[in-house]
C-alpha cells in the first residue's frame, strides 16, 4: 500500500515503468518485436538492394526462362535429353543424376561400412587395427580431395579403349568410362516381372499373417526365409520356363571406342568410389557403436533362455542395435545425397553442376535457380526427417 | 576330535597358464585363437605387407628426387616411382599461395604471434585464462589481419591494430606476473607504484591511466609501421585454408551457441527464426551455399559496394558452420537435467546467469567431442572454396598438375596434401580425446 500513499508522483510513475520493464510477458513481447523488426528490416534492405541491382543489370527474377531451350549438351543423362530441350528438363536431368549417384553410393557404402564396422569389432588384433587405420585415414582427409584424387590420379590415367582393363569379357574399364552389358527385355519378360512383384506382395502378406498368428497362438512360422526363398525361386523358375526372355547386349569395341551396353563416365566412377569409401567409414563407426550398445547381460540372458545363436542375433541383438544404428545411418544417407553435389569438381553433371553452374551462367537467372536448387535439397531432407520421425516414434522403447 | 585348532592355510596361487601371459599369450589370444582367426591374421598381414610395400616402393625406393620436369621423371622411372621434385618446386606455393616471396615473413610472424598468444593457456600457474582466450578471439584478428593484408591504414584501423598489440602485451605481462610473483598484473603494478591498497578509487584510476599510456604508446608505435598491401587474390595454399577455417571456427562456436539458445527459447518468434535458419542451412549442401553467396552477395549489397571473393566464401562457410554448431550445442543443452535449471532458479538466478554459469559449462563440456568433430568437418570442408575459384591447399596441389613443366603430376601433390590434412585432423581429434578425459569430472567414477 506504500505506493498509494506515496506523496511523490514521479516515484510512483517510475515504479509503473519499472514494473512494466520487469514484467516477463511484456518484456518478451518487446524483445520479440525488436528482433522481428530488425530481421525484417534487414531482409527488406537486401530485397531492395537486389531489386535495384537487378534493374541496373537488366536481369529478371521470374521463372519464365524454364520454357526456353537450354542449348547445351549434357554428357550423361538418365532421361532422354537433347540440346534443344528446355531448362526445366535440364533441372530434372540434374535431379535424376544426383539421385543415381546417391542411390549407388548408399548401397555400396552400406555394404562396405557393415564389413569394416564388423571387422573393427573383430577379436583378431590385426584385422581390428587394419580397419581402424582405414577408418582414421579416410575420415581425416577431405572428401573433395579424395574425389579429385580418384579422378585425376586413377580413372583419367586408365588405358585407352583399345587396351581396356577387361573383367570377364563383359565389363570394360578404360579412360572413357566403365562399360557393362545392358539388359534387353524380350516378349514374355513382363510375366517374370509380374511374378516377382507378386512374390514381394505375397511375402509381405505372409509376414503380417505370421506375426498375427504368433501373437495369437505363440507358434512361430519362418515367414522371412519362406518369403525370401519364394522371391528368388519363383521368378527364376518362370524365367527359365519361358526360355530366358532377357537378352544381354554386350559392349563391343568398334573403332576407337565401345558401342552397345551401358556405360558410365570416369567422373561417375571416381565419385562413386570416393563417396562410398568416405561414407563407409562413418557407417562403420555407426555399426560399431550400435553393436557395442547392446549390453552383455542381454546376450547372457538369451543364453540362459537357451535361444539358438541365430535367434539371439535376430531377436535380441539386432532389434536393440538397430534402434541405435538406424537414425544416424539415415542421416548419413542424407549426407551422401548432399555430398554428391561435389560432382561439380570433376565435371559430372549432377544437379549443382548442370543447374546451379551451367544453367545459371547461361541464363543469368541467379535467384530462381538458386531457389529451385535449395528447394530440391530441402525437400529431400524434409522427407528424410519425416521418415526418421516415423521410425523413431515406432522404435522408441515402450515403457509400461 | 583333537584339540589342536585347525588353521586354514591356503596354498600359494598357481601361475597362470603359460599360453595366456606375456607376449606369446597375447599373440595366441589375439592373433591365433582358432583356425579362422589364424587365417584372418594371415590375410591381414598380407594386406598390410602389400599396401605398405607398394607405398614405400613408390614413395621412397623408386622415387625420383631431383629432376627439372615431369618428362625427366617419367624417363627415369616411368610411373613406378613418385616424382618429388615437382612437389618440392611448388612447396612454397602449397604453403603460402602466391603471396610475394619477400613478404612471407608476415604470415610466419602472424602465426607465431597466435602461438605466443595461446601459449599462456597451457601454463599451469596462469589464472586469467578466460581473459586470454577471449582476447585471442577478439583482439588477435586485428593484429593478424594487418600483418596479412597490409596497406593503408586510417585512424580507426590504426587504433584497432594498436588495441591488438596492447592485447598481446597484456597477455604476456599477465602470464609473467602470475607465474613469477603469483599476483594478477593489476595488483602487481599497483603494488610497485605504491598506491595504498585501501583506496579503491585511486587504484582504478591508476589502472586506467596505465592502460591508456600503454594504448598511446602502442598507437604511436603502430602508426610508424607500414606494410605493403597484399591483395587477397594472392592468398592461397595452407595459409588460406587456415585463415578460412580459423575464422569459421572462431565465428561458428559463439554463433552456434546463440542459435541453439534461440531455438530452445521460450519466445516463439525467436525460436521460429532460429529453427528456420538452422534447418535451411543444414538441409542444403555447402557448395550450394557457396555458389549462392558467390552469385547473390553482389546482388544483395547496395550498388557500388564490391564484395571480395574471399569474403563471400568466408561468409558462406561461417553461416554454414554456425548452423551445424547450433545443432551440436542443442544436443548438449538437451542433455542437461531439468533439476539444474530448477536449482539455479531456486537460487534466484535469471536466464542469463543460469545459462552462462550453470547450463553452458556443462553442456559444452559433454559436447567437446562433437564440437571438435565439427571443427574437423569445417577444416575439411574448406576445400570446397576451390570450386568457386579460390586457391586453397587442395586447389594449389591440383594446379601443380596443370603447370606446363609438371603436366599431369597429380598423385604426388595429392599424397602430400592428404598427409597435411590428415596430420591436422588427427591432431585435433586426439587433442579432443585428451581434453575429454581431463575434463571428465563427476562421471565414470568407477
Amino acid at each position: 500500500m506504500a505506493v498509494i500513499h506515496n506523496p511523490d508522483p514521479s516515484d510512483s510513475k517510475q515504479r509503473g515503468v519499472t514494473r512494466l520493464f520487469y514484467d516477463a510477458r511484456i518484456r518478451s513481447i518487446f524483445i520479440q518485436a525488436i528482433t522481428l523488426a530488425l530481421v525484417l528490416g534487414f531482409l527488406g534492405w537486401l530485397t531492395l538492394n537486389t531489386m535495384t541491382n537487378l534493374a541496373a543489370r537488366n536481369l529478371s527474377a521470374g521463372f519464365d526462362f524454364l520454357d526456353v531451350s537450354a542449348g547445351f549438351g549434357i554428357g550423361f543423362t538418365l532421361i532422354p535429353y537433347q540440346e534443344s530441350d528446355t531448362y526445366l528438363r535440364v533441372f530434372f536431368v540434374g535431379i535424376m543424376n544426383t539421385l543415381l549417384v546417391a542411390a549407388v553410393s548408399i548401397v555400396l557404402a552400406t555394404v562396405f561400412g557393415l564389413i569394416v564396422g564388423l571387422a573393427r569389432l573383430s577379436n583378431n588384433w590385426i584385422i581390428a587395427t587394419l580397419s581402424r587405420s582405414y577408418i582414421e585415414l579416410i575420415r581425416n582427409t577431405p572428401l573433395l580431395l579424395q574425389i579429385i584424387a580418384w579422378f585425376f590420379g586413377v580413372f583419367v590415367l586408365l588405358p585407352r579403349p583399345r587396351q581396356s582393363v577387361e573383367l570377364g569379357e563383359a565389363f570394360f574399364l578404360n579412360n572413357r568410362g566403365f562399360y557393362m552389358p545392358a539388359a534387353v527385355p524380350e516378349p514374355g519378360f513382363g510375366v517374370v516381372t509380374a511374378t516377382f512383384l507378386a512374390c514381394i506382395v505375397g511375402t509381405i502378406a505372409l509376414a503380417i499373417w505370421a506375426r498375427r498368428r504368433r501373437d495369437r497362438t505363440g507358434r512361430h512360422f519362418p515367414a522371412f526365409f519362406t518369403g525370401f526363398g519364394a522371391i528368388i525361386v519363383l521368378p527364376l523358375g518362370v524365367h527359365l520356363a519361358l526360355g530366358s526372355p532377357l537378352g544381354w547386349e554386350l559392349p563391343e569395341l568398334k573403332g576407337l571406342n565401345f558401342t552397345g551396353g551401358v556405360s558410365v563416365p570416369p567422373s561417375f566412377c571416381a565419385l562413386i568410389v570416393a563417396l562410398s569409401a568416405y561414407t563407409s567409414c562413418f557407417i562403420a563407426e555407426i555399426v560399431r557403436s550400435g553393436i557395442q550398445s547392446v549390453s552383455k547381460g542381454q546376450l547372457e540372458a538369451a543364453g540362459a533362455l537357451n535361444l539358438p545363436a541365430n535367434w539371439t542375433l535376430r531377436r535380441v541383438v539386432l532389434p536393440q542395435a538397430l534402434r541405435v544404428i538406424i537414425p544416424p545411418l539415415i542421416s548419413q544417407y542424407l549426407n551422401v545425397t548432399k555430398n554428391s553435389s561435389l560432382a561439380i569438381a570433376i565435371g559430372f553433371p549432377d544437379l549443382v553442376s548442370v543447374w546451379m553452374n551451367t544453367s545459371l551462367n547461361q541464363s543469368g537467372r541467379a535467384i530462381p535457380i538458386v531457389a529451385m536448387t535449395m528447394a530440391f535439397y530441402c525437400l529431400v531432407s524434409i522427407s528424410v526427417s519425416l521418415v526418421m520421425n516415423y521410425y523413431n516414434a515406432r522404435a522408441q522403447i515402450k515403457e509400461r | 576330535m583333537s584339540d589342536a585348532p585347525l588353521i586354514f592355510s591356503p596354498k600359494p596361487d598357481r601361475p597362470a597358464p603359460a599360453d595366456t601371459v606375456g607376449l606369446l599369450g597375447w599373440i595366441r589370444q589375439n592373433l591365433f585363437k582358432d583356425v579362422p582367426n589364424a587365417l584372418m591374421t594371415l590375410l591381414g598381414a598380407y594386406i598390410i605387407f602389400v599396401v605398405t610395400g607398394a607405398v614405400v616402393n613408390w614413395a621412397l625406393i623408386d622415387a625420383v628426387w631431383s629432376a627439372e620436369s615431369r618428362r625427366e621423371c617419367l624417363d627415369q622411372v616411368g610411373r613406378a616411382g613418385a616424382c618429388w621434385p615437382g612437389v618440392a618446386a611448388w612447396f612454397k606455393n602449397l604453403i603460402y599461395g602466391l603471396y610475394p616471396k619477400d613478404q612471407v615473413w608476415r604470415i610466419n610472424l602472424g602465426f607465431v604471434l597466435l602461438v605466443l598468444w595461446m601459449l599462456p593457456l597451457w601454463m599451469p600457474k596462469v589464472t586469467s585464462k578466460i581473459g586470454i582466450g577471449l582476447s585471442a578471439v577478439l583482439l588477435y584478428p586485428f593484429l593478424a589481419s594487418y600483418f596479412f593484408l597490409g596497406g593503408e591504414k586510417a585512424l580507426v584501423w590504426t587504433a584497432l591494430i594498436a588495441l591488438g598489440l596492447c592485447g598481446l602485451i597484456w597477455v604476456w605481462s599477465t602470464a609473467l606476473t602470475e607465474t613469477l610473483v603469483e599476483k594478477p598484473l593489476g595488483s602487481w603494478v599497483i603494488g610497485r607504484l605504491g598506491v595504498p591498497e585501501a583506496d579503491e578509487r585511486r587504484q582504478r584510476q591508476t589502472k586506467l591511466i596505465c592502460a591508456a599510456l600503454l594504448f598511446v604508446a602502442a598507437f604511436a608505435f603502430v602508426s610508424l609501421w607500414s606494410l605493403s598491401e597484399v591483395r587477397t587474390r594472392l592468398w592461397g595454399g595452407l595459409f588460406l585454408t587456415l585463415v578460412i577455417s580459423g575464422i569459421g571456427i572462431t565465428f561458428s562456436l559463439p554463433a552456434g551457441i546463440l542459435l541453439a539458445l534461440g531455438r530452445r527459447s521460450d519466445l516463439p518468434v525467436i525460436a521460429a527464426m532460429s529453427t528456420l535458419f538452422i534447418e535451411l542451412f543444414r538441409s542444403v549442401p555447402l557448395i550450394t551455399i557457396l555458389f549462392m553467396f558467390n552469385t547473390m552477395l553482389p546482388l544483395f549489397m547496395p550498388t557500388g559496394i564490391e564484395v571480395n571473393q574471399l569474403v563471400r566464401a568466408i561468409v558462406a562457410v561461417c553461416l554454414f558452420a554456425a548452423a551445424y554448431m547450433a545443432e551440436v550445442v542443442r544436443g548438449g543443452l538437451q542433455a542437461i537435467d531439468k533439476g539444474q535449471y530448477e536449482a539455479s532458479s531456486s537460487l534466484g538466478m535469471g536466464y542469463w546467469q543460469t545459462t552462462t554459469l550453470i547450463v553452458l559449462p556443462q553442456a559444452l563440456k559433454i559436447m567437446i567431442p562433437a564440437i571438435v568433430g565439427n571443427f574437423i568437418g569445417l577444416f575439411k570442408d574448406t576445400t570446397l572454396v576451390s570450386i568457386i575459384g579460390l586457391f586453397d591447399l587442395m586447389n594449389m596441389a591440383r594446379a601443380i598438375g596443370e603447370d606446363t613443366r609438371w603436366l599431369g603430376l597429380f598423385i604426388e601433390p595429392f599424397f602430400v596434401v592428404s598427409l597435411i590434412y590428415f596430420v591436422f585432423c588427427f591432431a585435433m581429434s586426439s587433442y579432443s580425446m585428451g581434453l575429454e578425459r581431463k575434463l571428465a569430472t563427476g562421471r565414470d567414477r568407477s
Side-chain angles (χ1 to χ4, degrees):
Chain A
M1 295 297 108
V3 179
I4 295 168
H5 295 292
N6 198 323
D8 189 355
S10 73
D11 190 33
S12 99
K13 193 178 158 200
Q14 195 188 6
R15 281 201 172 206
V17 172
T18 323
R19 202 164 56 220
L20 223 54
F21 184 72
Y22 282 116
D23 185 321
R25 229 179 34 180
I26 292 174
R27 194 157 61 157
S28 85
I29 291 174
F30 181 67
I31 292 174
Q32 294 187 64
I34 285 190
T35 324
L36 196 63
L38 281 178
V39 171
L40 286 183
F42 181 67
L43 290 180
W45 182 69
L46 290 186
T47 320
L48 209 66
N49 284 337
T50 313
M51 289 195 350
T52 328
N53 281 320
L54 286 178
R57 295 176 200 190
N58 251 335
L59 293 171
S60 136
F63 286 90
D64 48 327
F65 74 103
L66 287 176
D67 299 331
V68 178
S69 160
F72 58 85
I74 298 177
F76 177 82
T77 60
L78 278 183
I79 50 176
Y81 170 83
Q82 300 161 344
E83 281 189 24
S84 54
D85 281 333
T86 58
Y87 276 111
L88 191 61
R89 200 162 180 90
V90 173
F91 182 59
F92 287 117
V93 167
I95 287 183
M96 293 305 286
N97 283 351
T98 292
L99 292 180
L100 177 73
V101 170
V104 177
S105 312
I106 283 174
V107 172
L108 290 179
T110 309
V111 172
F112 205 54
L114 195 64
I115 295 172
V116 177
L118 292 178
R120 176 96 163 71
L121 286 173
S122 161
N123 48 19
N124 183 313
W125 180 80
I126 220 164
I127 294 288
T129 312
L130 203 62
S131 61
R132 185 163 168 248
S133 9
Y134 167 80
I135 292 173
E136 291 292 344
L137 208 64
I138 302 273
R139 226 168 42 150
N140 283 325
T141 39
L143 173 60
L144 185 60
L145 179 62
Q146 292 179 34
I147 291 176
I148 290 186
W150 276 105
F151 183 64
F152 285 106
V154 177
F155 285 99
V156 168
L157 299 182
L158 286 172
R160 262 168 278 208
R162 279 180 178 284
Q163 291 95 36
S164 296
V165 182
E166 275 183 44
L167 305 158
E169 306 219 348
F171 298 90
F172 300 93
L173 191 61
N174 56 47
N175 65 359
R176 299 279 186 85
F178 182 59
Y179 295 80
M180 54 201 145
V184 186
E186 287 157 16
F189 190 67
V191 183
V192 181
T193 320
T195 324
F196 181 66
L197 292 178
C199 282
I200 291 181
V201 173
T203 305
I204 294 172
L206 187 70
I208 294 173
W209 172 79
R211 168 177 286 193
R212 289 220 180 117
R213 195 182 74 143
R214 192 192 63 203
D215 289 351
R216 219 177 41 242
T217 65
R219 271 183 297 165
H220 173 71
F221 181 79
F224 179 74
F225 290 108
T226 320
F228 197 67
I231 286 177
I232 291 180
V233 172
L234 281 180
L236 201 68
V238 174
H239 183 75
L240 292 176
L242 288 175
S244 303
L246 183 69
W248 293 98
E249 190 193 71
L250 295 184
E252 270 179 274
L253 187 64
K254 277 197 185 137
L256 286 176
N257 208 348
F258 281 91
T259 52
V262 187
S263 69
V264 287
S267 54
F268 181 83
C269 303
L271 194 60
I272 293 291
V273 171
L275 211 50
S276 343
Y278 187 74
T279 315
S280 71
C281 290
F282 292 89
I283 292 182
E285 285 291 272
I286 292 169
V287 168
R288 180 185 64 89
S289 69
I291 290 177
Q292 281 180 339
S293 76
V294 180
S295 70
K296 212 177 166 189
Q298 295 284 330
L299 290 178
E300 290 165 354
L305 289 174
N306 201 15
L307 285 188
N310 69 331
W311 273 52
T312 310
L313 187 68
R314 274 181 44 215
R315 302 260 177 241
V316 179
V317 177
L318 274 189
Q320 298 186 64
L322 284 182
R323 189 179 288 141
V324 179
I325 290 175
I326 287 190
L329 191 65
I330 293 180
S331 71
Q332 277 307 317
Y333 291 168
L334 186 60
N335 274 351
V336 173
T337 315
K338 286 192 272 174
N339 283 339
S340 68
S341 60
L342 298 180
I344 187 178
I346 51 174
F348 179 77
D350 82 317
L351 180 64
V352 171
S353 167
V354 291
W355 187 242
M356 231 179 167
N357 195 33
T358 320
S359 299
L360 196 150
N361 289 340
Q362 290 244 334
S363 67
R365 305 293 179 99
I367 293 169
I369 284 182
V370 168
M372 282 172 80
T373 319
M374 295 214 159
F376 166 73
Y377 283 109
C378 283
L379 196 70
V380 171
S381 91
I382 288 170
S383 28
V384 167
S385 30
L386 285 182
V387 171
M388 197 122 91
N389 287 346
Y390 173 74
Y391 174 81
N392 282 342
R394 278 201 51 177
Q396 227 166 33
I397 300 172
K398 291 180 185 70
E399 286 175 16
R400 278 173 241 274
Chain B
M1 249 191 172
S2 72
D3 286 342
L6 273 172
I7 296 170
F8 175 66
S9 60
K11 288 180 182 169
D13 289 346
R14 272 191 295 173
D19 60 350
T20 60
V21 290
L23 184 66
L24 216 65
W26 184 88
I27 288 177
R28 185 170 280 202
Q29 280 295 312
N30 292 296
L31 296 178
F32 296 99
K33 210 170 179 184
D34 46 26
V35 176
N37 204 339
L39 286 179
M40 293 290 257
T41 304
L42 292 182
L43 179 74
Y46 177 72
I47 294 176
I48 291 175
F49 175 74
V50 169
V51 172
T52 39
V55 171
V56 167
N57 261 337
W58 174 80
L60 299 174
I61 297 174
D62 289 341
V64 178
W65 297 96
S66 70
E68 282 303 304
S69 70
R70 179 146 192 263
R71 197 67 268 152
E72 262 181 53
C73 285
L74 287 178
D75 289 342
Q76 284 185 41
V77 291
R79 288 219 184 115
C83 178
W84 295 122
V87 180
W90 273 70
F91 195 73
K92 275 229 157 90
N93 290 347
L94 280 181
I95 304 297
Y96 301 110
L98 301 176
Y99 214 83
K101 294 278 175 289
D102 55 335
Q103 300 291 324
V104 158
W105 62 270
R106 282 158 52 176
I107 297 178
N108 294 338
L109 187 63
F111 283 98
V112 167
L113 281 185
L114 179 62
V115 173
L116 272 182
W117 209 301
M118 308 284 266
L119 208 57
L121 292 179
W122 281 270
M123 291 184 178
K125 279 187 183 167
V126 174
T127 46
S128 36
K129 284 185 181 169
I130 294 178
I132 293 173
L134 273 181
S135 74
V137 171
L138 296 176
L139 300 180
Y140 169 75
F142 297 125
L143 204 57
S145 53
Y146 181 63
F147 273 118
F148 298 156
L149 265 174
E152 288 290 308
K153 47 186 196 290
L155 202 65
V156 181
W157 197 205
T158 316
L160 288 177
I161 300 162
L163 213 55
L165 195 63
C166 291
L168 182 63
I169 295 169
W170 173 78
V171 164
W172 268 96
S173 16
T174 307
L176 285 178
T177 53
E178 281 175 2
T179 314
L180 297 177
V181 293
E182 300 192 5
K183 259 189 205 170
L185 177 66
S187 49
W188 181 77
V189 170
I190 284 163
R192 280 269 133 168
L193 293 176
V195 179
E197 255 181 56
D199 195 347
E200 275 191 24
R201 227 182 102 226
R202 263 196 68 196
Q203 283 198 1
R204 208 175 307 135
Q205 280 173 351
T206 325
K207 280 184 194 172
L208 268 178
I209 290 170
C210 288
L213 281 177
L214 179 66
F215 179 73
V216 170
F219 189 89
F221 182 65
V222 168
S223 39
L224 293 179
W225 285 351
S226 83
L227 295 173
S228 62
E229 190 185 350
V230 180
R231 319 262 314 253
T232 52
R233 243 177 341 102
L234 301 176
W235 295 19
L238 181 61
F239 164 58
L240 185 69
T241 297
L242 288 179
V243 165
I244 296 176
S245 45
I247 295 177
I249 285 171
T250 33
F251 176 83
S252 70
L253 190 57
I257 291 174
L258 282 182
L259 278 173
L261 290 175
R263 189 167 183 175
R264 280 173 62 85
S265 160
D266 293 332
L267 315 176
V269 173
I270 292 182
M273 283 192 302
S274 312
T275 312
L276 191 70
F277 177 87
I278 294 172
E279 290 302 325
L280 182 70
F281 276 79
R282 273 170 50 89
S283 61
V284 297
L286 175 56
I287 187 69
T288 58
I289 294 173
L290 277 170
F291 261 116
M292 183 182 112
F293 278 92
N294 202 24
T295 52
M296 311 247 284
L297 210 57
L299 291 179
F300 285 157
M301 290 292 120
T303 25
I305 294 188
E306 275 293 307
V307 189
N308 158 342
Q309 198 169 27
L310 179 62
V311 175
R312 295 180 209 166
I314 288 176
V315 170
V317 167
C318 283
L319 294 182
F320 183 78
Y324 271 77
M325 191 56 80
E327 282 304 273
V328 171
V329 176
R330 190 170 72 112
L333 292 178
Q334 273 173 342
I336 301 302
D337 195 75
K338 206 178 161 201
Q340 298 285 329
Y341 290 91
E342 289 167 354
S344 74
S345 52
S346 72
L347 286 176
M349 291 180 158
Y351 174 79
W352 287 108
Q353 275 181 316
T354 307
T355 306
T356 52
L357 298 176
I358 308 290
V359 178
L360 273 184
Q362 300 182 61
L364 293 182
K365 193 166 81 184
I366 54 176
M367 290 320 274
I368 282 177
I371 289 174
V372 178
N374 234 359
F375 287 163
I376 295 174
L378 172 63
F379 183 71
K380 290 188 294 178
D381 277 347
T382 55
T383 47
L384 266 66
V385 300
S386 66
I387 294 178
I388 60 166
L390 294 176
F391 277 87
D392 73 323
L393 180 56
M394 194 204 75
N395 214 12
M396 214 32 117
R398 187 168 63 168
I400 300 179
E402 283 153 12
D403 179 4
T404 43
R405 262 173 68 199
W406 306 102
L407 203 65
L409 189 77
F410 287 113
I411 301 179
E412 290 85 348
F414 286 149
F415 185 81
V416 172
V417 165
S418 305
L419 278 184
I420 298 178
Y421 277 111
F422 178 79
V423 167
F424 272 91
C425 295
F426 193 72
M428 271 196 266
S429 73
S430 309
Y431 183 68
S432 97
M433 276 188 252
L435 205 59
E436 203 186 334
R437 270 196 294 275
K438 198 174 133 193
L439 292 180
T441 47
R443 284 169 201 280
D444 298 332
R445 233 176 290 217
S446 54

